Amino acid sequence: MAIQTKFKQIVKKLSSTDLYNRAKGIDQLRKSLHKDVYLDSLIYLLEAAGKSFPNSLEDWDDGSYHLVGFCSEYPHSELVKPIEKNFERYSERAKLQALYLLITIKTDVARDAYIRIIEKYSKQYELGIDVAYIFEETEWAPKLVKKFIPLLKDENLNDSIFHMMLLCLRNSGVELSLTSDEKNLIIEQIKRNYQSKRVAYLSYDKDYSLQFVYQAWKESYTMIRSEMGIYLQLMQYFFDDEMQAFLLEALQFKDAYLKVDAVISLLERGYNVSREIIESCAYNIEACVWFYTRLSESSKEHFYKINEEIQHSFVKNRFFHYLVDHDEFGVVPDEIEVVKRHDTTNYYGQEVTYYLVKFKSHRDDWAEKGWMAGYVGAFLTEQIPSPKMFEDTITTFTSWNQLTEVEHIQQLEQFNKDDYAKHDSEVILESKPNWHYGTFVLGFITAVRTWTSFSNNDPIYFLLLALLWGVFLFKVYATIKLRKEAKVILKRRQLTLIKANESTTIELHKIYRMTIELRKWRKNEGKNAAYQLKVKYLVFYDKDENEILSIPSTFINTTQLMAEIQMLTNHLVEQPIIDIYENDLSA
C-alpha cells in the first residue's frame, strides 16, 4: 500500500513556520479520523512524529503529539517497530501518547517494546506508567511487575510499580512467582517508601477534617492519601513485625480510608481488631462503602452485621460524595440524616428504593440555608442492604421546612423525570448508509473509458460505454436515495432504524443479545446501491430469542454502535450479550 497524499500534506503543514498553517494541518488530521487509513500511512505518520517541529508557546501546537495521537485511533501490531524506533525523538506529550498506543495494541510484541522503552528512558524522561489502563485493557501486569522490580528504587516509577503489584495481588487469579531476593527488595522498598509518605501524612493528621480534605487540602492531600493506601494494603502480603507496627499505628489515624486499609491488612494476617474500630469504619460517612467493598473482596462481610442501619450509612456515604464531588457546588455537609425510605418502580420495571435525606453545612456561606432536602438512589430493592445503586441522587437545595416529606419526594422525583426526559432526547449516535467503494471504482472506470472513447469509433464500444454509464448513474441514484431515506439513531434509552417511510424503535433494556449475521438484502435496505448479494447484519434479540431489530452493517459502524450500547446499559443487572463468532466476521 502507498502513503496517502493527504497525510504528506498534513505533515508538511504541521512542519510549517506559519502558525495558521499548522492549525489547518491539525484540523485536517482531526477530520481524517474514523476514515479509511492505510497501514503504510500510519507508519509514515509515526516516523514523521519524530521529526523536528517549530517551537511554540501554544499547548495545542504540538505536531508530534497530534500525529501519534491520530495513530492511537488505529492500533495495529505493525506500529510497534516505528514507535520504538522513533520514541526518543517524540515530544514529551507524544511519548506518553506512544506508550498509550502500545498498551492499546495489547500484543506480547507491544508489551515487550513497552518494557524496553520504560527500562531505557525512565531516567531521562518522566514517562509514568498508566497502571489502571494497563490492568483494565491487557494481561501485561504480572509480566511488567516482574520486569520492573529492579526499577523499584526509581522514585519516579516505584509508586506506579507498587500500585500495579497491589492490583495483581488483590486479583486472586494472578501469580507473581517472586524469588526470595525480589521479596527482600520489595519489603525493603515498601518500608522506605511508606516511612517517607508517613512523614508527609502526619503533618496533616493533627488538623484533619473533612472540610480541609475536600476543600483547602484538595490538591495537595489526595495524592498522599492514595499512595499511603497502596503501601498499607501491600503490607498484608509482605508482613513482618515492623509492618505490623505501621498498621497498628494507622488504626489511630484520623483519615478513615487509611484506617480501613490498615484494618483489612491486619484482619488478613489474623490480627484481632477491636469491635470499636470495626464499627467506626462501618459507620464512617466518608469511607463506609470502601470498608464494605474491601471486606467483600476478602469474604469477610461477617465481621459486622449488614442491616438497615448499615444501609443508612451507605446512603449517607453516597450522598456525601455526591455533594463533595459535584462540579457545580462542591459543598461538604456537616450533618446528613436519613428521613424516609421510598420504594417504587423505575423505567425498566425494576423495583427500586430511594431515600429522602436532609443535610446542612456549617460553612459560613451555607449555614444560613439550614436543613435542605436530598434524594438518594436508586438502590435495587431486592439487593438491600447494599451500597450498589444507579446514579439518580439529586438535590435542589430546597429548604427542609418549605415542604412536607411527601412533597419533597414528589418534587425530587419530578426533577429526576424532567432531567431524564431532557437527556432522553439527546442523540448519542446518528449514521446514514455509507457510499459503497464499488461505486467509486465504477465511477473511475467509467471516466477512464469515456476519456479513451474519443479515439474510438466502434459503435459497440459506445453501446457498452452507455451501458456502463447507466449502471454507474443508477448506483449513484440508488445510494443518494438510500442515504436520504435511511438512518440509524441511538439515544440514551432507544435505538431507531428509519428506512423509506418505515421506522422501528427498540428499548435498549429489552436487548438480550447482539450478534452479526450474514444475510440477503431486505427491502429498502441498500440492495440497489450494493454490489454483493449478501451483507452482514447487526441483529438484536430479546430474552425470548425473538428478533426485534436488524441493521445492515453498511448503515453504521457496528463496533462503535455495540460499544455505545454497552456503555448506555452498563447500569442494568442484565446487560446485552455480544455474541460474535469468527465466521461471522470473516463473511
Side-chain angles (χ1 to χ4, degrees):
M1 291 184 184
I3 299 167
Q4 290 151 284
T5 304
K6 66 177 177 180
F7 292 114
K8 292 183 178 179
Q9 294 171 345
I10 287 171
V11 170
K12 186 176 180 180
K13 283 187 172 70
L14 293 178
S15 303
S16 170
T17 55
D18 182 71
L19 183 64
Y20 177 70
N21 277 338
R22 298 201 296 273
K24 284 179 64 177
I26 292 170
D27 187 54
Q28 282 182 255
L29 193 64
R30 180 184 59 80
K31 290 178 179 177
S32 300
L33 277 172
H34 308 304
K35 296 182 180 178
D36 290 338
V37 180
Y38 299 159
L39 179 58
D40 284 353
S41 296
L42 294 173
I43 293 173
Y44 166 75
L45 293 177
L46 289 172
E47 296 277 357
K51 295 180 179 178
S52 177
F53 292 91
N55 292 326
S56 175
L57 298 176
E58 302 290 342
D59 288 339
W60 59 264
D61 188 18
D62 185 343
S64 179
Y65 167 73
H66 287 293
L67 292 177
V68 177
F70 178 85
C71 295
S72 297
E73 298 295 323
Y74 304 88
H76 193 284
S77 58
E78 293 296 322
L79 303 182
V80 174
K81 285 186 178 179
I83 290 172
E84 190 170 10
K85 175 184 174 184
N86 296 279
F87 186 85
E88 188 173 12
R89 296 191 295 275
Y90 290 159
S91 70
E92 184 177 344
R93 291 170 66 201
K95 285 183 174 70
L96 299 179
Q97 190 66 35
L99 292 175
Y100 168 85
L101 175 50
L102 287 174
I103 297 168
T104 308
I105 293 171
K106 299 182 182 181
T107 64
D108 289 350
V109 173
R111 178 200 64 201
D112 294 342
Y114 184 93
I115 290 170
R116 287 193 295 270
I117 288 171
I118 294 293
E119 289 176 336
K120 184 175 181 180
Y121 297 113
S122 62
K123 285 184 170 57
Q124 294 175 248
Y125 311 108
E126 292 187 16
L127 298 180
I129 298 174
D130 194 338
V131 177
Y133 190 62
I134 289 172
F135 204 80
E136 290 170 6
E137 297 295 324
T138 74
E139 302 295 328
W140 293 4
K143 181 81 171 180
L144 263 56
V145 169
K146 285 284 287 182
K147 280 288 187 179
F148 291 159
I149 285 176
L151 298 178
L152 285 175
K153 294 182 180 180
D154 187 329
E155 293 183 1
N156 293 323
L157 293 178
N158 55 24
D159 289 332
S160 296
I161 298 171
F162 276 125
H163 185 194
M164 188 156 44
M165 185 183 298
L166 175 62
L167 292 177
C168 288
L169 293 168
R170 280 177 60 182
N171 185 331
S172 58
V174 175
E175 180 60 50
L176 293 180
S177 302
L178 301 170
T179 66
S180 59
D181 287 343
E182 288 172 336
K183 285 182 181 178
N184 290 335
L185 175 61
I186 289 169
I187 290 170
E188 175 190 346
Q189 204 61 44
I190 286 176
K191 292 176 181 178
R192 182 176 298 167
N193 287 17
Y194 179 77
Q195 286 173 327
S196 172
K197 312 294 180 187
R198 173 182 170 275
V199 170
Y201 166 76
L202 289 175
S203 65
Y204 290 92
D205 188 74
K206 181 181 178 181
D207 300 315
Y208 185 93
S209 77
L210 295 179
Q211 295 286 350
F212 284 154
V213 170
Y214 291 96
Q215 291 177 341
W217 296 349
K218 194 169 185 178
E219 298 300 322
S220 59
Y221 182 74
T222 305
M223 186 60 70
I224 293 173
R225 164 193 270 178
S226 175
E227 292 170 352
M228 284 274 286
I230 289 171
Y231 293 109
L232 287 169
Q233 292 175 64
L234 279 171
M235 288 179 188
Q236 75 179 73
Y237 304 102
F238 302 96
F239 193 76
D240 63 15
D241 291 343
E242 191 173 354
M243 291 196 186
Q244 178 175 315
F246 286 142
L247 292 169
L248 291 174
E249 179 194 39
L251 295 182
Q252 308 308 317
F253 287 166
K254 293 179 181 178
D255 187 303
Y257 278 104
L258 300 183
K259 184 181 292 187
V260 165
D261 290 333
V263 167
I264 298 298
S265 289
L266 287 167
L267 290 176
E268 285 291 327
R269 302 306 301 191
Y271 188 88
N272 291 321
V273 179
S274 71
R275 175 56 50 186
E276 181 185 357
I277 291 176
I278 293 288
E279 290 189 355
S280 73
C281 294
Y283 291 99
N284 183 271
I285 194 171
E286 184 188 18
C288 64
V289 170
W290 175 236
F291 185 50
Y292 176 81
T293 302
R294 293 297 317 282
L295 285 175
S296 299
E297 287 178 357
S298 306
S299 300
K300 287 183 167 55
E301 303 96 316
H302 60 278
F303 272 86
Y304 69 96
K305 188 176 182 181
I306 311 296
N307 52 25
E308 187 67 16
E309 191 177 358
I310 291 294
Q311 180 66 23
H312 284 189
S313 291
F314 295 156
V315 171
K316 292 177 182 179
N317 173 274
R318 293 304 195 188
F319 192 64
F320 171 84
H321 286 286
Y322 167 80
L323 291 174
V324 299
D325 295 337
H326 204 288
D327 291 335
E328 292 182 18
F329 36 85
V331 61
V332 178
D334 289 285
E335 295 182 66
I336 299 175
E337 291 184 14
V338 178
V339 178
K340 189 179 185 68
R341 171 174 171 163
H342 178 62
D343 296 324
T344 184
T345 303
N346 68 7
Y347 175 85
Y348 307 104
Q350 298 167 307
E351 293 185 358
V352 294
T353 297
Y354 290 85
Y355 290 86
L356 178 66
V357 301
K358 64 178 183 178
F359 69 100
K360 65 179 178 180
S361 172
H362 298 156
R363 204 173 75 183
D364 291 344
D365 54 338
W366 282 83
E368 64 182 23
K369 298 178 185 290
W371 288 99
M372 292 168 282
Y375 201 44
V376 186
F379 299 87
L380 285 173
T381 305
E382 64 180 14
Q383 294 182 359
I384 291 175
S386 167
K388 186 177 180 181
M389 70 175 194
F390 306 140
E391 290 299 335
D392 278 348
T393 298
I394 57 164
T395 179
T396 56
F397 298 102
T398 303
S399 173
W400 180 257
N401 294 327
Q402 187 175 329
L403 301 171
T404 66
E405 291 177 9
V406 173
E407 287 172 336
H408 275 303
I409 291 174
Q410 290 173 343
Q411 182 204 52
L412 293 166
E413 273 197 331
Q414 188 59 49
F415 186 89
N416 256 345
K417 288 177 182 177
D418 293 344
D419 189 54
Y420 267 112
K422 180 176 68 176
H423 287 98
D424 283 348
S425 61
E426 177 188 349
V427 175
I428 305 296
L429 192 62
E430 184 174 336
S431 179
K432 293 182 178 181
N434 298 321
W435 283 87
H436 198 287
Y437 71 90
T439 303
F440 294 105
V441 174
L442 183 60
F444 176 76
I445 293 172
T446 303
V448 171
R449 292 300 184 187
T450 302
W451 177 261
T452 58
S453 68
F454 293 112
S455 59
N456 194 323
N457 297 319
D458 186 350
I460 301 297
Y461 185 91
F462 280 100
L463 180 63
L464 293 174
L465 180 60
L467 181 62
L468 189 62
W469 266 103
V471 173
F472 172 64
L473 291 174
F474 175 76
K475 291 295 184 183
V476 170
Y477 168 77
T479 303
I480 292 174
K481 184 173 184 293
L482 180 67
R483 285 172 58 82
K484 185 178 180 180
E485 296 178 344
K487 186 184 295 185
V488 177
I489 301 173
L490 175 66
K491 296 182 179 180
R492 274 184 62 176
R493 290 174 170 173
Q494 296 176 332
L495 175 64
T496 301
L497 171 63
I498 300 171
K499 53 180 184 178
N501 297 319
E502 180 185 344
S503 176
T504 305
T505 298
I506 62 172
E507 303 288 336
L508 298 187
H509 70 278
K510 293 183 178 179
I511 300 171
Y512 174 72
R513 182 166 66 93
M514 301 181 281
T515 186
I516 291 180
E517 300 175 6
L518 188 65
R519 296 181 171 184
K520 290 183 179 180
W521 289 100
R522 296 195 308 194
K523 187 178 179 181
N524 296 326
E525 292 186 348
K527 180 178 179 180
N528 291 336
Y531 295 81
Q532 70 271 41
L533 296 176
K534 293 184 177 182
V535 68
K536 288 184 287 186
Y537 274 79
L538 178 55
V539 188
F540 301 88
Y541 293 92
D542 64 16
K543 202 166 187 177
D544 297 323
E545 285 298 318
N546 297 316
E547 181 181 322
I548 52 178
L549 184 65
S550 59
I551 302 174
S553 58
T554 54
F555 278 33
I556 197 166
N557 183 320
T558 54
T559 302
Q560 185 182 5
L561 177 59
M562 287 189 289
E564 292 287 355
I565 290 174
Q566 276 192 304
M567 285 191 286
L568 292 170
T569 57
N570 63 6
H571 62 284
L572 298 178
V573 175
E574 294 183 356
Q575 291 179 253
I577 299 168
I578 295 181
D579 188 11
I580 298 177
Y581 302 99
E582 197 65 35
N583 60 336
D584 294 327
L585 297 176
S586 60

